[in-house]
């Protein structure tokens, strides 16, 4: 996300040329990783080498990151409540463990937008069947999003359709009962 002058990239999954083209002539301030899974960080180090932008990841996801990148570490950490200034607006880091221990959502209050990574999708929580995942933790994280952010917040998810918090909140109990 960004404007004509500067931007941040949220997750760098596979096609580094496409990301570099999307950044274009703008200054890339940071490569923000919502979590350390391969399909979110695969080309992050290469993008960093090509642009000079730092890779940021929550420390709790370093064990996950190392499964993909055993030889290179992120350049910096993300922490709950941290604010990233980009293009005249603020992205607030919300630590939302569950899908992965260091999973984070990025909330832009001025835009009313949440980038949810793999924590919340249209129709359900992110998967918690992988190693390092934790179902009760993801439910607690999603409850915290519902409790603290405006219901009209638009959610851009890590895979698939966008949604809103208001559209998802009524289904929470079903997800808890279903247990995954
Ligand atoms: Zn994931």
């Amino acid at each position: 996300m960004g404007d004509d002058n500067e931007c941040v990239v949220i997750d760098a999954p596979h096609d580094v040329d496409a990301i570099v083209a999307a950044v274009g002539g703008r200054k890339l301030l940071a490569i923000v990783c919502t979590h350390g899974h391969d399909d979110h960080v695969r080309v992050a180090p290469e993008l960093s080498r090509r642009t000079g932008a730092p890779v940021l990841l929550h420390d709790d996801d370093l064990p996950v990151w190392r499964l993909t990148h055993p030889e290179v570490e992120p350049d910096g950490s993300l922490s709950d409540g941290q604010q990233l200034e980009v293009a005249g607006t603020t992205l607030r880091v919300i630590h939302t463990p569950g899908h992965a221990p260091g999973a984070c959502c990025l909330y832009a209050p001025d835009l009313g937008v949440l980038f949810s990574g793999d924590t919340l999708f249209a129709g359900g929580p992110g998967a918690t069947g992988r190693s390092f995942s934790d179902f009760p933790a993801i439910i607690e994280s999603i409850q915290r999003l519902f409790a603290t952010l405006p219901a009209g917040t638009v959610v851009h998810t890590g895979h698939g359709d966008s949604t809103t918090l208001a559209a998802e909140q009524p289904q929470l109990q079903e997800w808890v009962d279903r247990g995954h």
Side-chain angles (χ1 to χ4, degrees):
M1 65 152 300
D3 61 10
D4 290 344
N5 300 312
E6 60 182 27
C7 59
V8 297
V9 165
I10 300 174
D11 293 337
H14 46 77
D15 188 342
V16 72
D17 289 330
I19 300 172
V20 168
V23 169
R26 300 181 291 174
K27 179 170 174 54
L28 180 58
L29 301 178
I31 302 154
V32 181
C33 302
T34 59
H35 61 294
H37 281 150
D38 178 74
D39 60 334
H40 293 256
V41 305
R42 166 59 64 186
V43 301
E46 186 185 349
L47 182 61
S48 177
R49 276 195 301 276
R50 285 176 56 172
T51 61
V55 176
L56 307 180
L57 177 79
H58 194 286
D59 285 349
D60 289 355
D61 249 34
L62 286 173
V64 182
W65 164 279
R66 288 177 186 136
L67 298 175
T68 300
H69 296 301
E71 278 151 23
V72 52
E73 298 276 291
D75 303 291
S77 345
L78 297 173
S79 58
D80 192 62
Q82 180 180 352
Q83 314 245 45
L84 305 168
E85 305 298 329
V86 54
T89 193
T90 300
L91 270 183
R92 190 196 308 158
V93 177
I94 305 175
H95 180 210
T96 49
H99 175 71
C104 289
C105 295
L106 286 308
Y107 176 54
D110 299 343
L111 308 177
V113 165
L114 181 76
F115 299 93
S116 65
D118 285 358
T119 293
L120 178 62
F121 295 124
T128 47
R130 298 171 71 160
S131 47
F132 301 108
S133 292
D134 182 330
F135 180 73
I138 200 171
I139 291 297
E140 197 173 306
S141 291
I142 292 171
Q143 279 170 330
R144 184 171 161 229
L145 296 176
F146 289 147
T148 56
L149 303 184
T153 301
V154 172
V155 182
H156 295 312
T157 66
H159 304 275
D161 293 337
S162 294
T163 183
T164 64
L165 291 181
E168 302 306 319
Q169 187 160 14
Q171 307 172 63
L172 178 67
Q173 191 56 47
E174 270 171 58
W175 305 340
V176 173
D177 295 343
R178 197 175 66 196
H180 62 87

